[in-house]
Amino acid sequence: MLGFRIFDLTRRVDKSWINKFHAIPVANISDVMTRMSAGGASLRPMHAAGNLCGPAFTVRTRPGDNLMVHKAIAMAEPGDVIVVDAGGDLTNAIIGELMTSTAQKKGLAGIVINGAIRDVGVIGKGSFPVYAAGVTHRGPYKDGPGEINVPIGLGGMVIEPGDLIVGDDDGLLSIPYGDVERVYDAAAAKHQLEEQMMADIANDTLDISWIDAALLRLKCEVSRGTR
């Protein structure tokens, strides 16, 4: 039935790529993806610390209902990231301590909820990655409908099942399955460049000549004596 169906996850990014992406800041990945993709500024890390990286096990659910999220956690394999489009509604929590503990016990990589969660006192002290749009004490319903492993959208970002989900303190990003190698190569180069720039800052050797060159190219009027 359309809107109430379950599919298996048939593709996953190889673990070797996941280990590599763990070392790259999300901001660097975003830069090389032309800054055109993001999970939405409202989706924030609710856990104490720890980066997120793994294949997307997607869920679309009716706002305030977590039946399909329970099923997704039961189906997912170690290393998967449960990514839930709950419409961004904050009326009812989609997950809390019990579901988070179950996911962690199964070895999942993390959970993303485009909606609300609860039990943040516990979740906020742990290292298991949980991203959400908000918090409420009001619990969920368990009636459906919903879909598992279908394309979903979070904050304008389209996520296909099996795409690579990355997250850190700055937020979330989805890397299309077929673009993982190309994005990694560019992001790793960007990260290396920024590390060199940090060294130049520490040594007071950072080249800032590009600023005046940009102003000249853009025909900015600069008064004499301006530094």
Side-chain angles (χ1 to χ4, degrees):
M1 179 188 300
L2 186 63
F4 204 10
R5 54 188 182 173
I6 296 172
F7 298 99
D8 289 328
L9 183 56
T10 58
R11 62 178 192 176
R12 288 178 171 86
V13 174
D14 189 86
K15 290 182 180 179
S16 62
W17 289 114
I18 293 171
N19 293 335
K20 290 179 180 180
F21 271 99
H22 262 297
I24 307 295
V26 171
N28 290 156
I29 302 170
S30 177
D31 283 351
V32 302
M33 293 179 69
T34 67
R35 305 180 177 96
M36 290 291 289
S37 183
S42 64
L43 289 172
R44 304 306 306 157
M46 298 292 179
H47 54 292
N51 293 352
L52 174 66
C53 190
F57 199 98
T58 64
V59 182
R60 178 186 292 121
T61 187
R62 177 172 65 90
D65 193 288
N66 74 357
L67 174 62
M68 285 304 203
V69 183
H70 277 282
K71 181 61 175 176
I73 292 174
M75 290 175 60
E77 296 182 2
D80 288 345
V81 178
I82 304 295
V83 187
V84 182
D85 178 10
D89 182 79
L90 305 181
T91 305
N92 298 83
I94 299 297
I95 65 166
E97 179 184 4
L98 295 177
M99 294 177 72
T100 301
S101 297
T102 301
Q104 186 172 16
K105 179 67 174 179
K106 285 199 63 175
L108 304 190
I111 301 178
V112 177
I113 305 290
N114 186 19
I117 67 170
R118 64 181 181 179
D119 300 325
V120 291
V122 175
I123 292 171
K125 294 176 183 177
S127 60
F128 182 73
V130 176
Y131 289 75
V135 177
T136 180
H137 55 79
R138 296 178 62 178
Y141 300 98
K142 296 173 172 61
D143 304 307
E147 298 177 299
I148 292 177
N149 286 322
V150 297
I152 61 174
L154 270 67
M157 179 172 65
V158 176
I159 303 172
E160 299 273 355
D163 286 351
L164 184 61
I165 302 296
V166 293
D168 60 17
D169 291 342
D170 286 337
L172 292 161
L173 191 60
S174 176
I175 304 169
Y177 180 88
D179 293 337
V180 166
E181 182 174 359
R182 180 172 60 175
V183 170
Y184 174 77
D185 289 343
K190 172 73 172 177
H191 183 47
Q192 184 177 15
L193 175 63
E194 290 200 356
E195 287 188 323
Q196 180 59 55
M197 291 175 68
M198 288 298 297
D200 290 343
I201 291 171
N203 296 325
D204 199 23
T205 57
L206 182 67
D207 181 8
I208 60 172
S209 61
W210 66 269
I211 301 174
D212 287 337
L215 292 172
L216 180 64
R217 173 174 56 84
L218 297 169
K219 297 181 173 54
C220 176
E221 181 180 343
V222 179
S223 299
R224 290 184 177 179
T226 300
R227 298 184 62 184

